[in-house]
Amino acid sequence: MIVITVKRMDGFTATACAASEAAAGPQWAALIDKACRCAEERRLSVDLVMWEVDAATEAAAIAAASEEAGRKIKSVRIRPPKLLLHKVTESGPGVVTEAVLNKGQAAIDAKADGYPAEARLDLVTLQQLVDLLVKPELTDSQRAAVMERLHKVTYKMKGQGGTFGYPMITAIAHHLYVMSRAVKTSNERICEAIQVHIDAMQLILNRRLAGSTPQGQEIVQGLNAVVVKLVGVPEK
């Protein structure tokens, strides 16, 4: 049985059960969406873990997962976007006046308008990387270098998405960031899964799906199901 555990930094906990990993996919995506909104609106970090446990009932499965007595399939921590207010000291020699703070935050807000264009450049880089991965003459060391570059680009994207108002980009980029370590997956399948991520992020940017929208949530849910089918590699 599959159990998803949710732990919020304010002490809130929740669980969800499913018969299989594929069946748990939509629940996982929906909980990621809720965690992104919680991080954005309430400034709370959220830890989500998907467990596979050997149990006959949901109650027994939840108990086993709470004791971490199962196989961890994947996990993720959603953190609040870093607002300028949290990057400066509030007193002492490094104090920043309210006027300077407001000016700096305004600069970040202004940059948010141009974020989709900047993110598209990152997607161009990702596309170039996946185009390299499909080349049959690529050596193992070259493939590892390409995957490392992909890891760095997606790390940047997952950090910037929520900061500039696109938590769905953060959710998708995080999944791709973790999956970029799935080096045991066949080259063809990993490339196909990466392409699905790129297409999903491109769609969100093209439609300007800022914030957490039903359309964005639907995209993430569909993406998760496709990735489980294509790759099936546990997140670590």
Side-chain angles (χ1 to χ4, degrees):
M1 187 173 294
I2 303 298
V3 180
I4 301 173
T5 60
V6 180
K7 294 182 181 180
R8 212 165 59 193
M9 65 178 294
D10 63 352
F12 171 83
T13 61
T15 56
C17 296
S20 66
E21 186 176 345
Q27 292 175 300
W28 177 261
L31 289 170
I32 289 288
D33 177 50
K34 289 182 180 179
C36 287
R37 282 185 281 144
C38 182
E40 183 180 13
E41 297 168 5
R42 302 186 60 183
R43 311 294 306 169
L44 293 172
S45 295
V46 185
D47 291 313
L48 298 97
V49 182
M50 183 183 290
W51 299 92
E52 182 182 46
V53 297
D54 185 11
T57 65
E58 287 192 4
I62 291 172
S66 66
E67 296 175 1
E68 301 186 0
R71 181 173 72 92
K72 183 185 292 186
I73 298 176
K74 52 183 163 184
S75 63
V76 61
R77 170 170 290 178
I78 305 296
R79 295 181 176 88
K82 294 181 180 179
L83 299 179
L84 185 62
L85 177 62
H86 300 279
K87 298 179 182 179
V88 298
T89 57
E90 297 180 359
S91 61
V95 68
V96 177
T97 66
E98 184 176 356
V100 173
L101 185 62
N102 290 338
K103 183 178 180 180
Q105 189 64 58
I108 290 179
D109 293 341
K111 188 175 180 181
D113 293 335
Y115 169 71
E118 182 177 345
R120 286 192 185 92
L121 293 178
D122 290 328
L123 291 183
V124 169
T125 299
L126 290 180
Q127 188 64 62
Q128 291 171 340
L129 293 173
V130 78
D131 289 345
L132 282 174
L133 283 175
V134 299
K135 292 185 176 182
E137 67 272 19
L138 208 65
T139 66
D140 288 344
S141 60
Q142 289 173 328
R143 181 175 186 267
V146 172
M147 293 297 285
E148 182 63 30
R149 175 61 178 153
L150 188 144
H151 196 72
K152 290 179 179 179
V153 174
T154 52
Y155 179 82
K156 170 191 173 186
M157 293 190 76
K158 82 187 189 81
Q160 289 186 339
T163 298
F164 295 122
Y166 283 81
M168 291 297 95
I169 292 292
T170 288
I172 296 173
H174 173 80
H175 200 167
L176 180 53
Y177 167 77
V178 175
M179 195 180 64
S180 66
R181 292 306 195 203
V183 293
K184 294 182 180 180
T185 304
S186 70
N187 198 52
E188 181 181 353
R189 292 173 72 84
I190 198 72
C191 288
E192 190 175 355
I194 292 171
Q195 189 64 60
V196 171
H197 282 79
I198 293 173
D199 293 344
M201 289 190 284
Q202 188 69 60
L203 183 61
I204 286 175
L205 292 172
N206 287 345
R207 295 184 181 180
R208 292 272 179 164
L209 299 179
S212 297
T213 68
Q215 285 179 297
Q217 183 177 346
E218 184 178 352
I219 291 170
V220 173
Q221 288 175 345
L223 174 66
N224 186 77
V226 170
V227 170
V228 169
K229 181 179 180 180
L230 290 176
V231 183
V233 174
E235 292 192 44
K236 298 179 179 178

